[in-house]
Amino acid sequence: MGVDPGLTRCGIGIVEASNGRRVQMVAVDVARTKPEMAPHYRLLLISEAIEEAIARHQPDVLAVERVFAQENVRSVTGTAQVAGIVMLAAAKAGLPLGMHTPSEVKAAVTGNGRAEKNQVQLMVQRILRLDAPPRPKDAADALAIAICHAWRGGALHMDSVDRAQHGGAGMLPRAEGADLTPAQRIWAGAERISRRHGAVEPKERQS
């Protein structure tokens, strides 16, 4: 189950992965809240939607976008609050937790860590063999996060502390080695690019 955290729109996508790289969509939804609502009630609505999705679909793992940004502090604060709710929901359900940067997710589904939103939507459509690109973009992003985690084989489960998952120094993924696949090298490069810039593009959503 992948979650694209956002306070106005929170994407929730569930995929089923089989042997190899074959994945299929199980469900997708977007939890929405109104900006005029009190923040704690907005968080409650999103929390309830996430917990309902977990109860309904019984995922094996929960994956969420790792949040950090230089600009639009108000927006990223709300996004980080929702990411915290996702982490708590995983703990309450006893699920492993995966966290992936937007660059990692883009690299996983498109091969380009700097891909545009529409490219991600189109590739998610192609990978999941859908009749149309998932909309809104939050839905496509949630499915992309789930696909990314499935293809990484759960390598970033957060059952132990990993400072890199929280923006800490060091512990970047290894970028070289004969045992790395081309996709793993792309992910490692995307992670280094995002960490070097210290940010990702601001969320195009209200907070």
Side-chain angles (χ1 to χ4, degrees):
M1 174 172 158
V3 179
D4 178 47
L7 198 51
T8 298
R9 295 185 305 274
C10 178
I12 302 171
I14 297 94
V15 303
E16 182 176 358
S18 57
N19 293 334
R21 294 171 64 86
R22 188 174 181 84
V23 290
Q24 63 180 13
M25 188 179 77
V26 174
V28 66
D29 193 12
V30 176
R32 303 172 186 266
T33 68
K34 297 180 179 180
E36 59 267 24
M37 292 178 63
H40 57 308
Y41 287 117
R42 300 179 74 183
L43 293 172
L44 176 61
L45 288 177
I46 293 172
S47 176
E48 290 174 341
I50 292 169
E51 291 185 356
E52 180 183 350
I54 292 173
R56 178 181 302 172
H57 300 289
Q58 298 291 306
D60 296 316
V61 61
L62 195 55
V64 65
E65 178 182 289
R66 179 152 61 86
V67 182
F68 56 97
Q70 284 179 326
E71 302 175 4
N72 200 350
V73 174
R74 181 183 177 189
S75 177
V76 78
T77 297
T79 302
Q81 290 171 340
V82 175
I85 285 177
V86 178
M87 297 170 70
L88 178 60
K92 289 171 66 176
L95 294 174
L97 176 70
M99 301 182 74
H100 305 281
T101 66
S103 295
E104 286 180 306
V105 175
K106 291 176 181 179
V109 299
T110 73
N112 176 9
R114 293 178 175 273
E116 299 293 335
K117 290 286 188 180
N118 64 330
Q119 292 176 286
V120 174
Q121 286 178 298
L122 289 172
M123 284 306 300
V124 167
Q125 176 191 5
R126 182 178 301 176
I127 292 166
L128 297 177
R129 300 172 298 283
L130 304 176
D131 293 334
R135 291 187 174 88
K137 62 181 182 299
D138 312 86
D141 288 346
L143 291 168
I145 292 165
I147 293 168
C148 172
H149 194 80
W151 282 357
R152 297 196 72 166
L156 292 184
H157 284 181
M158 291 289 290
D159 290 330
S160 59
V161 175
D162 179 352
R163 295 194 312 274
Q165 292 291 349
H166 301 282
M171 301 185 72
L172 283 166
R174 182 163 52 91
E176 298 180 357
D179 59 322
L180 295 182
T181 67
Q184 288 172 325
R185 292 190 180 93
I186 291 174
W187 283 318
E191 175 70 3
R192 278 162 167 73
I193 290 172
S194 63
R195 191 74 58 82
R196 186 180 306 125
H197 288 281
V200 297
E201 63 275 13
K203 287 283 185 182
E204 297 175 6
R205 53 167 68 93
Q206 299 177 15
S207 61

